[in-house]
C-alpha cells in the first residue's frame, strides 16, 4: 500500500494546513484523492473535528490576507543603461522601503560620440539576463516551508507556500509580488528588450506585470528617497517594522512642481497626483541634455574625452568647465535679480557673445537648439580656441541654459491664480532626470529662487546615482501604481512617446492601452 511521504514533522497548526492542502486537492479530484487521503494519511496527524474540516473546505473561498511587505523586481532599458533593481516596501501609504539590489551597466558608445541604438540593444541583450539572475540572489530568503509531498501549505502562521517561492542556487527565496518594467517613453527596440524579459518573468512566476512611464518615475524619485530613509532609520533603531498603513504619506506630497531634465526631455510639470502631471512648459526642439551633449562634443578637447571610461558627455562638460579643486568648486555666480538681468547678452571679451534663449518673450516653452547653434558657430569661427577660453565657453553655455530653465519656473510660480489655484500652494520643486546630477544647475536654481523672492520653496533633488536612469525609480513607481490597484496586460507594447499630461493627445499615463484596475487588492 503506497503511503504519502511527510517532509516535516507537523506542529498542531501545521495539521490544519496539511489537511487544508488535501482538501483543496480533493476538491479538484475528489474520487482519486479522497481515496488516497483515507487510506494513507496518518489518522493521528490529520484527523480533525468535523466542524474544523468544514471550515477548512469553506476557507478555500475566503479572500487572501493582505501582504505586509511588497516585493518587486524592476527592469529599465529605455536608452543605453541596462538596469535591474529589487525593492521591498511595507504595505500602505508612507511604508518604509528597502533597496535590496540596484545595478546598472552602460553600453560603450564612444566610437559613435553618442548613444547608438543597436549598440545599446546589444548591450541589453548581453547583460540583462545575468543581471536578473544576480538580482534573484538578492531576493529575501524564504522562511521555513512546511508542506507535504502532495499539496501546498498556506501562508497562515508565518510559513510560506510553495507557490510563493523561487529557487536560486539551491536556496529558497521569496518570489516577487509583481514585475515592474519601463514601457516608455524611449527607444522602442531598447524598451522591448526589457519589456519582453519582464513579461517572461511575470508568466514564469505567475505574478502581475506593471509597465510604467519613465518620466513619471523620475518625478516620483524623491518619494522613493524618503521611503528609503525611513527604512534606514528602522534598521538603525532596530525597531519592530511598522506594517500596514504607514504613519505618514510619502514626501513630497502632491501637488508639487517637477523640472524633468534629461537627454530626451525638458519639462516643467505640475504634479497633481500619481497619474496627473500637467505640462506647463516643454522644449520646442531638442532637450537640454541633448544640447549639453552636442556642446561637449565640440568644446571638450578629444584627449579629455578619450581619457573617460564612457561617453557621458553632459557630466564631462561639467567636469571640464569646473575642474576639481582641493578647496572645492567656486562657481563665482551672481544670479540675475531681475528679468532684465536675466536676458542680457553675454560678451566674453574674446570676440564672441552668447544670447539667452527666448530672450524677447515670456512664452511658456524651452528652446535650446538656438543656443547650441551659437556655440557651434563660435567654435567654427575660433577653431584654435585655447583650453581656458573653451572652459569659459562651457561655463556660460551651461549658465544660460540653466537660467533659461529657471526663468520658466519663475514665470510659473508667479501665476498664483493658475491651475485652479494649485500653484499658490506649491512649496516644493522636484528636479529630476539625468541633467539633475549637474551640481552647477542645482546651484543656479537655488540662487535664482532665493534672489527672486522664492527662498521658501524647497528644491528637492535625488542623490546623484538616482538622478540618471536607474531601475530603483522604476520599482518605486511600480509600487505606487500597484498599491493604487493598477496592473498591465501581457500584450502591452513599448511606447516611443508617452506623454504625462492627461489632457494631451493620447490621454497621458492612463491613456495608454493595456491598463486594468483591481479594486481592493494590494
Amino acid at each position: 500500500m503506497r503511503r504519502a511521504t511527510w517532509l516535516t514533522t507537523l506542529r498542531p497548526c501545521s495539521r490544519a494546513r496539511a489537511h487544508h492542502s488535501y482538501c483543496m486537492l480533493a476538491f479538484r479530484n475528489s474520487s482519486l484523492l479522497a481515496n488516497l487521503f483515507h487510506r494513507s494519511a496518518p489518522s493521528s496527524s490529520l484527523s480533525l473535528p468535523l466542524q474544523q474540516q468544514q471550515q477548512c473546505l469553506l476557507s478555500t473561498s475566503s479572500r487572501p490576507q493582505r501582504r505586509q511587505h511588497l516585493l518587486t523586481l524592476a527592469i529599465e532599458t529605455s536608452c543605453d543603461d541596462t538596469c535591474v533593481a529589487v525593492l521591498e516596501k511595507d504595505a500602505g501609504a508612507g511604508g518604509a522601503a528597502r533597496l535590496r539590489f540596484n545595478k546598472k551597466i552602460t553600453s560603450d558608445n564612444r566610437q559613435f560620440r553618442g548613444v547608438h541604438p543597436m549598440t545599446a540593444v546589444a548591450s541589453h541583450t548581453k547583460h540583462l539576463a545575468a543581471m536578473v539572475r544576480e538580482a534573484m540572489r538578492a531576493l529575501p530568503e524564504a522562511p521555513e516551508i512546511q508542506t507535504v509531498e502532495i499539496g501546498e501549505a498556506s501562508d497562515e502562521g508565518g510559513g510560506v507556500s510553495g507557490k510563493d517561492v523561487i529557487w536560486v542556487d539551491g536556496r529558497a527565496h521569496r518570489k516577487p509580488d509583481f514585475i515592474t518594467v519601463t514601457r516608455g517613453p524611449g527607444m522602442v527596440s531598447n524598451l522591448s528588450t526589457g519589456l519582453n524579459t519582464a513579461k517572461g518573468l511575470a508568466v514564469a512566476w505567475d505574478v502581475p506585470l506593471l509597465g510604467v512611464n519613465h518620466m513619471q518615475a523620475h518625478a516620483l524619485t524623491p518619494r522613493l528617497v524618503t521611503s528609503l530613509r525611513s527604512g534606514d532609520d528602522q534598521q538603525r533603531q532596530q525597531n519592530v517594522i511598522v506594517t500596514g498603513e504607514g504613519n505618514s504619506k510619502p514626501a513630497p506630497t502632491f501637488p508639487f512642481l517637477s523640472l524633468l531634465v534629461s537627454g530626451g526631455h525638458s519639462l516643467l510639470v505640475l504634479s497633481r497626483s500619481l497619474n496627473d502631471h500637467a505640462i506647463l512648459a516643454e522644449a520646442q526642439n531638442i532637450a537640454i541634455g541633448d544640447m549639453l551633449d552636442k556642446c561637449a562634443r565640440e568644446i571638450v578637447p578629444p584627449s579629455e574625452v578619450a581619457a573617460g571610461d564612457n561617453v557621458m558627455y553632459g557630466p564631462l562638460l561639467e567636469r571640464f568647465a569646473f575642474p576639481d579643486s582641493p578647496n572645492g568648486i567656486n562657481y563665482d555666480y551672481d544670479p540675475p535679480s531681475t528679468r532684465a538681468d536675466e536676458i542680457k547678452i553675454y560678451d566674453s571679451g574674446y570676440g564672441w557673445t552668447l544670447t539667452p534663449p527666448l530672450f524677447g518673450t515670456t512664452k511658456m516653452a524651452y528652446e535650446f537648439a538656438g543656443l547650441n547653434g551659437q556655440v557651434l558657430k563660435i567654435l567654427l569661427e575660433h577653431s584654435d580656441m585655447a583650453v581656458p577660453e573653451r572652459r569659459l565657453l562651457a561655463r556660460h553655455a551651461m549658465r544660460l541654459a540653466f537660467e533659461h530653465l529657471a526663468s520658466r519656473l519663475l514665470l510659473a510660480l508667479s501665476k498664483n491664480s493658475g491651475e485652479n489655484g494649485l500653484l499658490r500652494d506649491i512649496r516644493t520643486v522636484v528636479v529630476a532626470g539625468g541633467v539633475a546630477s549637474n551640481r552647477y544647475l542645482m546651484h543656479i536654481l537655488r540662487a535664482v529662487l532665493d534672489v527672486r523672492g522664492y527662498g521658501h520653496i524647497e528644491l528637492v533633488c535625488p542623490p546623484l546615482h538616482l538622478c540618471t536612469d536607474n531601475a530603483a525609480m522604476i520599482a518605486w513607481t511600480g509600487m505606487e501604481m500597484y498599491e493604487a490597484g493598477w496592473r498591465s496586460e501581457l500584450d502591452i507594447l513599448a511606447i516611443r512617446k508617452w506623454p504625462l499630461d492627461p489632457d494631451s493627445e493620447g490621454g497621458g499615463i492612463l491613456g495608454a492601452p493595456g491598463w486594468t484596475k483591481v479594486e481592493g487588492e494590494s
Side-chain angles (χ1 to χ4, degrees), residues 204-505:
W205 292 342
D206 192 25
V207 296
L209 175 73
L210 266 295
V212 303
N213 187 294
H214 180 89
M215 297 311 294
Q216 177 193 24
H218 275 305
L220 298 178
T221 300
R223 292 162 66 89
L224 162 66
V225 174
T226 58
S227 291
L228 289 174
R229 286 174 182 162
S230 296
D232 290 343
D233 290 344
Q234 287 179 349
Q235 188 172 7
R236 279 194 297 268
Q237 296 168 6
Q238 297 182 341
N239 289 337
V240 176
I241 295 177
V242 178
T243 57
E245 296 300 323
N247 293 327
S248 61
K249 296 179 180 179
T253 56
F254 298 109
F256 56 84
L257 284 176
S258 299
L259 187 58
L260 306 180
V261 283
S262 66
H265 297 85
S266 301
L267 300 171
L268 179 60
V269 178
L270 174 59
S271 296
R272 294 178 288 212
S273 67
L274 178 60
N275 295 306
D276 188 348
H277 305 267
I279 306 300
L280 304 182
E282 61 184 322
Q284 296 181 152
N285 34 64
I286 65 173
I288 185 168
D290 191 16
M291 177 227 143
L292 295 175
D293 287 351
K294 286 178 165 65
C295 289
R297 290 174 197 150
E298 306 305 326
I299 294 175
V300 180
S303 59
E304 298 213 16
V305 175
D309 57 358
N310 58 55
V311 183
M312 303 272 299
Y313 280 108
L316 184 62
L317 183 67
E318 182 184 9
R319 290 195 300 271
F320 177 71
F322 300 100
D324 290 335
S325 169
N327 300 321
I329 297 175
N330 177 19
Y331 291 118
D332 192 24
Y333 176 67
D334 185 19
S337 57
T338 65
R339 171 69 178 164
D341 293 332
E342 186 182 297
I343 61 175
K344 282 182 179 177
I345 295 175
Y346 171 71
D347 188 343
S348 67
Y350 287 94
W352 51 265
T353 60
L354 287 173
T355 301
L358 300 182
F359 72 100
T361 177
T362 56
K363 178 182 177 181
M364 287 298 290
Y366 291 121
E367 204 285 327
F368 297 104
L371 183 57
N372 178 65
Q374 293 182 64
V375 171
L376 298 184
K377 182 180 179 182
I378 289 168
L379 289 167
L380 283 174
E381 295 174 350
H382 301 79
S383 56
D384 58 346
M385 185 180 291
V387 169
E389 189 178 347
R390 286 176 178 268
R391 293 195 199 280
L392 186 70
L393 178 59
R395 290 172 187 170
H396 288 282
M398 284 193 293
R399 176 181 66 81
L400 291 181
F402 298 159
E403 287 181 350
H404 183 42
L405 289 175
S407 70
R408 271 48 194 174
L409 174 58
L410 292 171
L411 289 173
L413 290 171
S414 68
K415 296 179 179 180
N416 290 328
S417 60
E419 294 296 331
N420 298 321
L422 282 178
L423 287 172
R424 187 167 49 245
D425 301 325
I426 294 298
R427 293 294 179 270
T428 303
V429 174
V430 167
V431 187
V435 181
S437 64
N438 190 304
R439 297 300 88 187
Y440 190 36
L441 166 62
M442 299 307 298
H443 180 82
I444 285 178
L445 289 176
R446 182 71 272 166
V448 170
L449 285 173
D450 288 347
V451 79
R452 302 289 278 273
Y454 295 99
H456 64 285
I457 296 289
E458 182 183 14
L459 204 58
V460 176
C461 181
L464 295 184
H465 69 285
L466 294 178
C467 286
T468 54
D469 289 355
N470 64 89
M473 69 179 190
I474 302 303
W476 175 259
T477 305
M479 285 287 183
E480 293 219 44
M481 294 295 284
Y482 184 88
E483 292 198 287
W486 294 105
R487 310 288 187 269
S488 296
E489 299 284 1
L490 289 173
D491 62 355
I492 62 172
L493 300 175
I495 304 175
R496 186 174 72 89
K497 291 185 177 182
W498 190 5
L500 289 171
D501 198 328
D503 294 327
S504 64
E505 184 178 356

